[in-house]
Amino acid sequence: MTVIPLTRCQFLIPFAELHSEIGGPTAALLARFQLPTSFEEKADHYVPLLPAVRFATAAQQKQGLSEIAFRAAQRLSFEHLSEAMRARVRHAPTLLVALQQICRWAPCEDTILQLWLEPSGENLKICSKLTGTEGISHLEISQWLQNIFVLHIVRQFAGISWSPRVIAFEALYTPSPEVQSHWPNTRFMSGQKASWIEVPAELLSLANPANDVRPTPADHEPQSFGKDVVSALKLSLPSYLDQGGLTIMQAAEMMGVSTRSLQRRLSLAGLTYSGLLEQARFNNAAKLLGSTEIKIIDVAFSSGYADPAHLTRAFRRISGCTPREFRQRSSNGQATIDRPASRSNGNRRA
């Protein structure tokens, strides 16, 4: 089974911002790596991980952006994690429980991210690894973010000034003296079996200062995210809707398979590409209508519809109501979103 690594757009945004701030042609460089050229309302959407790493590497090399991963990591905070992750941390009674929760829900951030805990004397290592990426260069770019988001979770319990005694990277990477000066009491290690930060075991019993301890919701298993081409495509399509969506040829290339292979895999799942794209557009529009105050015309364009009339026709056909009526029902808790992506012929943008 082919696994397509995906990451949330949230983690690509600071790299794009850094590149733009020094005058780099960001949209053109993103397009070169088949990535979305804009990120408005896309923080929780997914894109392929490896093209994202290649974009960040190219941005660093072409524009002389030294230590781009560290600079991007400085722009991230606990609030940039997915809502599923933040909720589980906020509801955990102790730091240990929070760490156990993030180990389970790590795929919400990167679909191939594994997190685990390793006792180490009087300390605990919080380890992370992107499975199946051995031998790929410049993964310190991702490993900075892996370590930083764990750091922010520990700080929810230990305080915003807490820093780890050790930050380790799986990559053969040594932070520059400038970077190390930001962490005067932290030792950096490279070439490890995984990336990790070290936490004193005595901190594990720290109580949650948020005082919001309650049972977490019983959601789908996060480990099911993006484990095959079809599920990875479903997660990725929303990121490209405002650009008109991807043709099936573009989607196949992004997934690393031939067009015929993608059609065959969709067929085995009882789907077609045009139906999948139609469902992605409707789901994206429904989410925006139900959770934001964005104007309906902007919802239409953000979801890949040619104009509001196309959006209205799609909503009448799929939900039996207009977008405005759907928004009203959603506010009253009466709207439903999903329907199967029906089998039909067509490889068009739809």
Side-chain angles (χ1 to χ4, degrees), residues 90-113:
R90 285 174 173 147
H91 299 165
T94 64
L95 174 58
L96 177 59
V97 174
L99 294 176
Q100 291 169 337
Q101 285 288 319
I102 69 168
C103 288
R104 178 173 176 241
W105 286 86
C108 289
E109 310 302 328
D110 289 335
T111 58
I112 58 167
L113 177 61

Side-chain angles (χ1 to χ4, degrees), residues 268-291:
L268 289 172
L271 303 169
T272 66
Y273 184 69
S274 60
L276 199 63
L277 187 54
E278 178 184 44
Q279 187 66 60
R281 284 177 174 154
F282 174 76
N283 287 350
N284 190 73
K287 181 179 179 181
L288 291 175
L289 288 168
S291 61

Side-chain angles (χ1 to χ4, degrees), residues 190-229:
S190 70
Q192 301 295 296
K193 68 174 184 179
S195 299
W196 48 273
I197 69 170
E198 191 174 77
V199 178
E202 63 191 31
L203 297 184
L204 300 178
S205 60
L206 285 174
N208 192 336
N211 198 27
D212 190 23
V213 177
R214 49 182 154 153
T216 55
D219 291 272
H220 54 277
E221 285 294 319
Q223 289 80 3
S224 64
F225 284 4
K227 293 298 185 182
D228 58 77
V229 167

Side-chain angles (χ1 to χ4, degrees), residues 52-94:
V53 170
R54 294 185 188 111
F55 163 79
T57 302
Q60 179 169 261
Q61 294 172 345
K62 288 179 177 293
Q63 303 298 326
L65 277 167
S66 64
E67 295 284 8
I68 191 172
F70 167 72
R71 298 179 193 281
Q74 285 185 302
R75 297 178 176 228
L76 297 175
S77 69
F78 177 75
E79 296 303 319
H80 289 108
L81 293 170
S82 64
E83 177 55 36
M85 187 72 83
R86 296 199 310 272
R88 280 156 180 79
V89 172
R90 285 174 173 147
H91 299 165
T94 64

Side-chain angles (χ1 to χ4, degrees), residues 15-76:
F15 293 97
E17 289 176 343
L18 283 165
H19 189 252
S20 295
E21 285 170 9
I22 63 169
T26 304
L29 190 60
L30 287 165
R32 173 183 161 191
F33 294 102
Q34 282 197 301
L35 294 166
T37 55
S38 68
F39 295 104
E40 188 174 357
E41 303 295 336
K42 295 181 185 177
D44 290 321
H45 291 175
Y46 290 85
V47 292
L49 172 67
L50 298 184
V53 170
R54 294 185 188 111
F55 163 79
T57 302
Q60 179 169 261
Q61 294 172 345
K62 288 179 177 293
Q63 303 298 326
L65 277 167
S66 64
E67 295 284 8
I68 191 172
F70 167 72
R71 298 179 193 281
Q74 285 185 302
R75 297 178 176 228
L76 297 175

